[in-house]
Amino acid sequence: MQDLGPLLDALAAAAGLPPLPAAHHLRRAVAAVLGWSARLVASPAPLATEEHARVEDGVALVPVAPGAGALRLSGGSPESLRRVAELCAHALTRARAHPLGPGRRLGERERHRVLVAGVDPAGRAALAGLLGLGFEPLEVEGAAAAAAAVRAGPLDAALLDLVGDAAGLATLEALRAEPAGAELPAIV
């Protein structure tokens, strides 16, 4: 019998992420743990987010979020496929209810939260200044503060200042050690 602990861990972690990162997290876990085909696809028109999962012809489709497509799973028996699809649907339902910040609701236009980390305040400000209006920079100093920021709330990306003593790489390692930062896109 296969150890499903990593899949259960992924389901729990995905429920605490925003919808699209949650779907990517689930896709990787299903492929790695079960060896199934798992990918994100454009959602067929009749599949609504109110529908938890659709299983037919050896394929499960689980809606991610409005406009974000669906998670497509295949490779298991019809019963195991249905059960895993239901578990993924539950995690994604919780992800859709993820708090995006004070006063914001899912579906509203949101600014992308970008972690800007570096030891030099002027360098952080310069990096944050490169971001356009659609971004909300969160400036922190050091690896510990960056890891705490990842734990505190959802982030879309990270900009890390690489200085002579490789603090940017240490910060990247600290981010990757956090479950929510393991797949966070980062530019060093």
Side-chain angles (χ1 to χ4, degrees):
M1 177 143 179
Q2 180 171 3
D3 177 20
L4 296 179
L7 180 60
L8 296 175
D9 291 342
L11 289 163
L17 297 172
L20 200 52
H24 284 290
H25 193 72
L26 291 171
R27 178 188 56 79
R28 284 187 297 275
V30 167
V33 175
L34 300 175
W36 294 0
S37 170
R39 58 192 174 114
L40 290 174
V41 297
S43 182
L47 186 66
T49 55
E50 296 80 31
E51 187 175 357
H52 290 290
R54 179 183 299 167
V55 182
E56 52 190 43
D57 299 326
V59 173
L61 288 175
V62 182
V64 175
L71 182 61
R72 182 187 187 277
L73 308 174
S74 62
S77 70
E79 183 59 24
S80 61
L81 189 60
R82 184 187 62 74
R83 287 184 180 176
V84 171
E86 287 174 0
L87 290 171
C88 289
H90 179 70
L92 288 168
T93 298
R94 292 195 55 208
R96 284 192 295 273
H98 189 277
L100 297 173
R104 295 190 336 199
R105 298 180 191 277
L106 189 62
E108 290 180 357
R109 187 179 187 299
E110 64 180 276
R111 292 173 39 175
H112 297 283
R113 294 186 71 218
V114 178
L115 178 71
V116 180
V119 294
D120 175 37
R124 285 194 312 269
L127 284 175
L130 293 174
L131 299 172
L133 293 176
F135 297 91
E136 176 186 338
L138 174 62
E139 293 184 47
V140 298
E141 180 178 348
V150 168
R151 286 190 302 271
L155 296 169
D156 297 302
L159 290 175
L160 311 176
D161 186 17
L162 181 63
V163 292
D165 62 358
L169 294 177
T171 302
L172 181 60
E173 289 175 2
L175 290 176
R176 295 297 183 240
E178 296 293 326
E183 300 294 327
L184 183 68
I187 298 173
V188 179

